[in-house]
Amino acid sequence: MNLKGRNFLTLKDFTPEEILYMIDLAADLKAKKKAGELHEYYKGCNIALIFEKTSTRTRCSFEVAAHDLGMGTTYLDPTGSQIGKKESIADTARVLGRMYEGIEYRGYGQEIVEELAKYAGVPVWNGLTNEYHPTQMLADMLTIREHFGRLKGIRLVYMGDARYNMGNSLMIVCSKLGMHFTACTNKAYFPDEKLVAECRGYAEQSGGSVTLTEDAMSGTKDVDVVYTDVWVSMGESDDVWEERIQTLSPYKVTKEIMENAGEKAIFLHCLPAFHDLKTKIGKEKGEKYGFTDMEVTDEVFESPASKVFDEAENRMHTIKAVMVATLGEPESRS
């Protein structure tokens, strides 16, 4: 499998075989790291990390992965570059492409990362846009496979706002890999109909399925994976909090939901999570709207079924795999 020179913008661009190849590569790189085996394949190389939206896991994953691979990194925060302000995206891409072997972008519209990729001349990696979060998907799939030993046939339900990057991306990857995806939420928060139709086409080829339901109990009955995310996305205004809390509360992941899923079910969350009031925003919103948790209870988050920290670690291993695959595996670079 040769993905050298490819961009990593959305998993719609990759075949099931290519996705599985990157997951396999991540597992191999993870084993090397655990064994203390050095894999500094890209000494002398450098990558640029553009973060218009701040991050903990994505930034740390890219920086540690790059360091493990022998590369240097330049981190550009929202005030650290002129992209889209004093300098066009195309011009920024052409400048950075002359200095770096690869460029990561985390920010707003998918069109921004697509334009970077058009002009950069080096691989561009999507660290998150409003529409897609493909690096998170590889980490999720690696985590699920590590736990169940397989991906095909796994039943995954996503609860909450399924209109944006997480709902979209989970639906794409599940339908491509022969898994059964359910969006369980208020119908106002169902994914885009066009994307649903596209993913049902993938599912027909893979043996998977795509289901949309408003019924929390039927949607989570006997599933393998219960997945959720925060109800208010990064960059959204404060005035949406009350409406989201009221509308999405029936889709909170609780002990009852996990029991309905079954004793073998696991819980996943891309983090950060409002499972208690130990954060500034959580405390502020909890006091204002009268809750002690939001999308998931602390009981579930801290339970043995929760694999969220395995999942968080796997961000680094899978991001490393994406970089190795698109920069060219060592033998393909010689």
Side-chain angles (χ1 to χ4, degrees):
M1 189 73 68
N2 185 3
L3 303 183
K4 184 179 180 180
R6 293 272 296 273
N7 298 304
F8 188 77
L9 309 179
T10 167
L11 289 182
K12 290 201 292 183
D13 297 337
F14 294 88
T15 66
E17 292 76 20
E18 289 169 339
I19 296 169
L20 291 171
Y21 158 70
M22 287 185 280
I23 296 169
D24 289 341
L25 180 56
D28 180 60
L29 291 165
K30 182 175 182 177
K32 282 181 167 63
K33 186 172 179 70
K34 297 293 185 184
E37 183 179 333
L38 291 179
H39 41 283
E40 297 175 320
Y41 304 146
Y42 306 100
K43 283 187 175 180
C45 295
N46 295 280
I47 62 170
L49 307 176
I50 303 172
F51 279 74
E52 292 195 298
K53 289 183 178 180
T54 56
S55 167
T56 299
R57 276 150 301 281
T58 302
R59 177 181 177 179
C60 293
S61 294
F62 268 100
E63 289 189 343
V64 173
H67 180 269
D68 284 355
L69 293 170
M71 293 191 287
T73 60
T74 300
Y75 174 75
L76 300 170
D77 67 14
T79 63
S81 79
Q82 299 296 341
I83 184 170
K85 299 188 280 289
K86 283 187 174 180
E87 186 167 52
S88 70
I89 295 163
D91 288 356
T92 299
R94 286 180 285 187
V95 168
L96 296 179
R98 298 292 186 96
M99 300 180 183
Y100 296 93
E101 276 69 32
I103 301 168
E104 179 272 352
Y105 173 83
R106 178 184 175 93
Y108 296 93
Q110 180 72 9
E111 70 277 2
I112 299 173
V113 76
E114 298 276 356
E115 190 169 3
L116 280 171
K118 181 178 179 181
Y119 291 99
V122 297
V124 172
W125 309 301
N126 180 359
L128 174 142
T129 60
N130 293 339
E131 294 85 355
Y132 304 114
H133 199 358
T135 60
Q136 180 69 51
M137 294 306 101
L138 296 186
D140 295 342
M141 295 303 108
L142 178 59
T143 307
I144 292 168
R145 195 176 72 175
E146 286 175 338
H147 185 79
F148 292 102
R150 63 188 173 92
L151 289 171
K152 193 171 182 65
I154 290 291
R155 299 182 62 191
L156 182 148
V157 59
Y158 179 77
M159 304 186 75
D161 191 342
R163 299 172 297 174
Y164 300 119
N165 46 43
M166 287 306 302
N168 290 345
S169 297
L170 283 165
M171 183 167 61
I172 291 166
V173 73
C174 288
S175 61
K176 285 208 168 202
L177 297 183
M179 299 166 66
H180 302 287
F181 172 84
T182 297
C184 184
T185 185
N186 184 284
K187 63 182 178 182
Y189 297 100
F190 282 170
D192 176 73
E193 290 182 3
K194 183 178 177 181
L195 183 59
V196 171
E198 192 172 354
C199 289
R200 283 179 170 153
Y202 299 148
E204 284 181 11
Q205 296 180 328
S206 70
S209 64
V210 173
T211 302
L212 310 180
T213 182
E214 292 188 274
D215 190 312
M217 297 311 284
S218 68
T220 58
K221 183 65 175 174
D222 297 330
V223 299
D224 301 297
V225 183
V226 179
Y227 202 122
T228 193
D229 187 15
V230 293
W231 291 342
V232 179
S233 298
M234 192 181 302
E236 291 192 281
S237 60
D238 283 350
D239 58 11
V240 304
W241 280 88
E242 185 172 7
E243 186 270 334
R244 296 280 171 82
I245 291 166
Q246 289 179 351
T247 307
L248 294 175
S249 287
Y251 305 100
K252 178 189 296 188
V253 181
T254 62
K255 179 183 177 182
E256 289 71 31
I257 289 291
M258 294 305 296
E259 288 176 344
N260 189 53
E263 61 181 18
K264 295 182 180 179
I266 63 171
F267 170 74
L268 296 180
H269 191 305
C270 56
L271 303 181
F274 288 110
H275 60 98
D276 56 28
L277 303 181
K278 295 178 182 178
T279 63
K280 180 180 178 182
I281 295 176
K283 186 174 186 296
E284 173 191 316
K285 300 303 180 185
E287 290 174 351
K288 183 173 182 179
Y289 298 113
F291 64 77
T292 56
D293 48 46
M294 196 183 306
E295 72 276 6
V296 58
T297 63
D298 194 58
E299 182 178 27
V300 170
F301 189 87
E302 298 293 353
S303 72
S306 177
K307 306 301 176 186
V308 298
F309 297 110
D310 294 340
E311 180 185 12
E313 178 195 336
N314 282 338
R315 290 297 307 285
M316 187 266 290
H317 303 299
T318 47
I319 280 171
K320 189 185 294 183
V322 168
M323 292 195 290
V324 170
T326 57
L327 292 174
E329 288 198 61
E331 58 270 20
S332 71
R333 291 176 61 82
S334 58

